[in-house]
Amino acid sequence: MKVHILQELETRGLITHGQTGKIISHHLLSPFSLHWELKTILYLGVLLLNAGLGWLIWLNLGHIGHGQSLRLLPWSARAALRMRGSTGYPIRPKRRKAFRPSMIMPFAELPYFPDS
């Protein structure tokens, strides 16, 4: 958390000292989400796997031979097309309901949040 930004806002008089304390305590007590950390680890793992396999193929290309590596290209292209086809269903856009005036919330029903 960038405390210096809160201190800057406090010195400018935009927020009070009590509000700064509440923001800091809320940030410290808020639950921790692992979403971005797990996503970063997953992407890093895929990157390292691809880099390692590419490096191994590059080192052993003399044993494997250019012909064998070229024979694998159609197989890998078919595998990529199969994977793309299997993910086609969830990617399709969903149909939306037709617009009706009753879908708009009337102004009188909007929630009221008084200043505290």
Side-chain angles (χ1 to χ4, degrees):
M1 177 174 194
K2 309 219 179 212
V3 179
H4 66 279
I5 294 174
L6 289 174
Q7 291 171 348
E8 172 88 20
L9 292 173
E10 189 177 341
T11 55
R12 290 185 184 181
L14 297 173
I15 58 175
T16 64
H17 182 70
Q19 290 173 333
T20 304
K22 285 182 182 179
I23 292 171
I24 291 173
S25 66
H26 174 73
H27 180 71
L28 293 176
L29 297 176
S30 63
F32 182 71
S33 172
L34 293 175
H35 173 76
W36 289 109
E37 287 78 11
L38 292 175
K39 199 172 184 180
T40 303
I41 291 171
L42 175 69
Y43 287 160
L44 186 61
V46 170
L47 176 73
L48 290 174
L49 174 72
N50 286 327
L53 289 175
W55 184 61
L56 281 174
I57 290 171
W58 178 69
L59 284 178
N60 297 310
L61 194 57
H63 285 301
I64 297 171
H66 292 285
Q68 292 290 42
S69 60
L70 290 176
R71 284 187 197 112
L72 287 177
L73 282 178
W75 178 83
S76 61
R78 282 193 303 265
L81 287 174
R82 277 191 212 117
M83 286 191 291
R84 173 63 181 109
S86 66
T87 59
Y89 175 73
I91 293 175
R92 258 189 301 179
K94 297 179 181 175
R95 290 185 152 193
R96 298 192 178 187
K97 296 180 182 177
F99 176 75
R100 293 186 312 265
S102 62
M103 296 171 86
I104 299 175
M105 184 185 297
F107 183 73
E109 293 179 15
L110 290 175
Y112 174 68
F113 298 107
D115 295 330
S116 52

